[in-house]
Amino acid sequence: MSVAIHPINTGYISLDKGVYINPSTGYGQEVEVPTNAFYVEADGAKILVDTGMAHTELADLHHPGSYQPGGFRIDERLAALGVKPEDIDAVLFTHLHWDHCANMKLFSNAEFWAHADELAFARDPHILYYKSYESEKIGLEAPFKGVEFKTVEGEHNFSPSITLFPTPGHCPGHQSVAIETDQGVVVIAGDAVFSDENMLPDEHRKLPFTPMGRFVDVFKLYDSMERILDRGDIVLTAHGTGVFEQKVWP
Ligand SMILES: [Zn+2]
C-alpha cells in the first residue's frame, strides 16, 4: 500500500486567535496562520484535498493583512511537485469556505466532491456567511459557481484507501478525509481541527482538547473533533504548522 500525502501551504491568513483557535485565552491576539491544502497519491489516483486560499487582494478583503506570496497558488505549488492541474483526478473538499476552494476551476479533468449539506448551504448561505462563501449577494463570485459536484451524505468510501466522513459544526456540511496508510490512519481534518493547538487540552475549560470559536453548531463541532482524534493516528490540520514537520506523510 503506497500512499503519499504532500502538505501544501497556499498562503497566510491573519485572524483573531480567540475566535479561530482558542476562545479560552486567545481573544485580542492577532496571529498569522498558513492555509493548507493536500496533494494525495493513493490507489493509482492523483487527488487534492481542498485547493487553498485566494490571491492577496481577495484574501485581504476576508481578513485584513492576509496574503498569498508569489508562487503559493495551488497550481504553482503543484508544479513544484511536477503535477499539472489537468493531471488531478479528483478534488475532495472538506468544505467550501473561500480559503479552501480558490482556483478550483483550474482542475479541468477533476471530479469535485463535497458533502451535500455543504454544497446546499454554500450556494444559498445565511447572511452571516455571505462573505465566507463569496456570495453574489455582496457582489462576489464564488469559485464553485456553475461547477458540477458529486455529493455525498454520511460516510463514503471514495477509494480503497480513502474514506470521507462527516465532521459538521464549523460549517453545516464539513467533512474530513481518512486515509489508510502503512503508518495507520491519517485524517486530513480540514477546519474541524483548525490548528495544532486545538488538539491540546483546554485547561481553562477543563476539556480534553480545544474546540475553536468559529462554528454554526458548537455541539456538533465538539463531537466531530472527538471523532477525528479517535480515528486518526496522525491528524493533519488546515491551518496549523505541524503538517510541515514532514514533506510527505506518512
Ligand atoms: Zn472554514
Side-chain angles (χ1 to χ4, degrees):
M1 184 166 35
S2 157
V3 171
I5 303 165
H6 302 253
I8 295 173
N9 180 5
T10 64
Y12 297 93
I13 299 180
S14 281
L15 44 77
D16 186 274
K17 191 174 173 186
V19 177
Y20 286 89
I21 300 174
N22 191 335
S24 291
T25 60
Y27 279 105
Q29 292 176 48
E30 197 71 9
V31 293
E32 189 175 283
V33 298
T35 304
N36 309 328
F38 297 86
Y39 169 61
V40 180
E41 290 174 328
D43 305 321
K46 294 179 164 62
I47 293 159
L48 275 176
V49 177
D50 295 342
T51 57
M53 69 180 271
H55 58 84
T56 297
E57 193 185 337
L58 190 52
D60 186 70
L61 183 82
H62 285 280
H63 291 268
S66 303
Y67 60 100
Q68 185 174 57
F72 275 48
R73 204 176 57 207
I74 186 72
D75 57 314
E76 295 170 329
R77 285 299 210 187
L78 286 171
L81 298 171
V83 179
K84 296 194 278 292
E86 57 269 30
D87 296 338
I88 296 296
D89 299 304
V91 185
L92 313 177
F93 288 104
T94 60
H95 64 307
L96 295 170
H97 285 165
W98 71 277
D99 54 327
H100 292 259
C101 64
N103 302 302
M104 61 181 286
K105 284 175 181 154
L106 292 173
F107 301 98
S108 53
N109 293 322
E111 292 179 346
F112 299 117
W113 289 75
H115 192 283
D117 294 347
E118 184 64 8
L119 186 60
F121 189 79
R123 285 186 170 150
D124 186 20
H126 186 281
I127 188 171
L128 284 168
Y129 284 89
Y130 282 175
K131 210 163 98 172
S132 301
Y133 291 97
E134 300 185 337
S135 168
E136 56 200 14
K137 291 185 175 145
I138 53 168
L140 297 173
E141 184 175 314
F144 48 81
K145 189 184 178 193
V147 171
E148 258 187 60
F149 281 80
K150 295 192 175 290
T151 56
V152 296
E153 290 176 67
E155 189 152 327
H156 177 78
N157 294 321
F158 173 79
S159 69
S161 306
I162 300 179
T163 303
L164 303 171
F165 65 105
T167 49
H170 171 68
C171 55
H174 197 285
Q175 61 184 355
S176 301
V177 183
I179 306 174
E180 297 276 353
T181 77
D182 295 338
Q183 310 289 319
V185 176
V186 177
V187 174
I188 299 177
D191 283 3
V193 182
F194 194 79
S195 76
D196 306 283
E197 189 172 331
N198 297 99
M199 292 188 261
L200 302 175
D202 183 332
E203 308 289 355
H204 190 80
R205 287 184 285 179
K206 307 292 178 211
L207 301 173
F209 47 80
T210 304
M212 74 186 301
R214 185 91 167 128
F215 45 75
V216 295
D217 186 323
V218 72
F219 304 116
K220 287 183 180 170
L221 175 81
Y222 185 91
D223 291 348
S224 292
M225 286 189 78
E226 195 169 50
R227 210 173 307 129
I228 289 167
L229 297 174
D230 277 353
R231 187 164 184 157
D233 298 300
I234 297 168
V235 174
L236 301 177
T237 71
H239 295 282
T241 53
V243 303
F244 300 110
E245 282 166 16
Q246 290 188 202
K247 273 203 161 128
V248 184
W249 297 84

